[in-house]
Amino acid sequence: MIDVPVQYFAARDGVRMAFRELGEGRPLVLVHGYFSTATVNWIRYGHAEALADLGYRVIMPDLRGHGDSGKPHDPANYPPDVLADDGFALLEHLDLTDYVLGGYSLGARTVARMLARGANPVRAIFGGMGLTGITETEGRGEHFRDVLTNPGTFERGTAEWRAEAFLKTVGGDRFALLGVLDTFVNTPREELAKFTLPSLVVAGVDDHDNGSAKDLAAALPDGRYVEIPGNHMSAVTRPELAEAIVEFLEG
């Protein structure tokens, strides 16, 4: 895995936020998923390098409460939609105008929130995300809330046990991650209908964690659905993810 140095910017409420970037060219902002980090989602499996080689400046923030970004424990630092606020702070920090905006899982939900609030990228990428994962966020975090509040109680091999094991590998902060669960905001279908930019929806064939990715693509005026191997956890490790993004960006 290549080493990409961390950089920092200030969120609107003063929390120190981390990001990494690789390559030169049109900016491509990629937001990782819940429990993960920019390094794990985008760098470890070669996606960032493949996109940088294509001629993109790949910009990868760590979400609030994740990775090298600040992990405050005060609930006041986790108001609704704060992840989108952080996204806008990054765009302002780097003075980005002509850019592509994408994300995986919670990162894709954050992309939807930024678009709903006026972000204006030239293209958008929704990875590992289905329609109801964007339109109906209530209760979406209960599986993770269980994992975070009952450590060490799960039977080996269960989904909860695997999630806790992953949390340990990334050094996740349980209190900060619980705060993130309180930030989710719905993006209604009527808002999705306003996203007229070219949009890629890419998900694993066995990924049903956030509803139907095919339905999400259909709800977007210029949505394109691409199916790749894997489930929600494994698809992000597959080279086909970067290949689908490359094909979309070159198309």
Side-chain angles (χ1 to χ4, degrees):
M1 181 176 70
I2 60 173
D3 180 41
V4 182
V6 63
Q7 303 179 60
Y8 296 98
F9 68 101
R12 290 173 173 176
D13 63 354
V15 171
R16 188 169 85 150
M17 303 294 297
F19 71 101
R20 288 169 169 80
E21 60 176 276
L22 182 68
E24 298 178 356
R26 172 177 277 171
L28 167 56
V29 180
L30 292 175
V31 188
H32 66 81
Y34 189 61
F35 267 32
S36 195
T37 68
T39 298
V40 172
N41 265 187
W42 305 118
I43 299 172
R44 177 171 294 172
Y45 302 105
H47 307 318
E49 194 169 10
L51 293 161
D53 288 345
L54 187 63
Y56 281 84
R57 176 189 174 193
V58 187
I59 300 164
M60 302 158 284
D62 278 338
L63 290 169
R64 172 180 301 239
H66 295 74
D68 291 308
S69 284
K71 303 175 181 66
H73 290 181
D74 187 342
N77 291 117
Y78 299 95
D81 243 4
V82 73
L83 303 185
D85 292 340
D86 294 341
F88 283 114
L90 175 63
L91 298 182
E92 293 159 6
H93 174 74
L94 296 175
D95 195 24
L96 301 184
T97 51
D98 179 23
Y99 64 97
V100 177
L101 181 61
Y104 192 88
S105 194
L106 178 55
R109 187 180 296 145
T110 303
V111 168
R113 294 306 308 147
M114 292 180 68
L115 291 172
R117 292 177 49 190
N120 192 32
V122 295
R123 291 180 179 238
I125 300 160
F126 299 87
M129 182 51 64
L131 180 60
T132 55
I134 285 178
T135 60
E136 302 171 22
T137 63
E138 295 86 356
R140 288 275 160 196
E142 292 315 301
H143 163 74
F144 294 107
R145 195 180 299 276
D146 185 25
V147 171
L148 292 166
T149 54
N150 297 288
T153 66
F154 305 109
E155 183 179 348
R156 187 178 184 88
T158 61
E160 292 82 1
W161 180 86
R162 288 193 295 271
E164 185 177 11
F166 180 73
L167 179 67
K168 291 176 181 176
T169 66
V170 297
D173 183 312
R174 296 176 186 276
F175 296 100
L177 290 167
L178 280 168
V180 172
L181 292 177
D182 296 325
T183 69
F184 298 170
V185 174
N186 293 341
T187 304
R189 288 186 70 125
E190 51 267 31
E191 282 296 323
L192 296 179
K194 299 175 184 177
F195 300 172
T196 56
L197 75 172
S199 300
L200 170 67
V201 180
V202 53
V205 62
D206 297 315
D207 182 358
H208 311 294
D209 284 23
N210 291 292
S212 168
K214 189 177 293 186
D215 287 351
L216 173 58
L220 297 166
D222 194 4
R224 306 145 193 216
Y225 172 61
V226 175
E227 190 175 85
I228 62 174
N231 57 30
H232 192 69
M233 290 295 291
S234 65
V236 74
T237 72
R238 303 283 305 217
E240 288 89 348
L241 177 60
E243 291 166 8
I245 295 173
V246 166
E247 185 173 347
F248 171 65
L249 295 175
E250 289 190 317

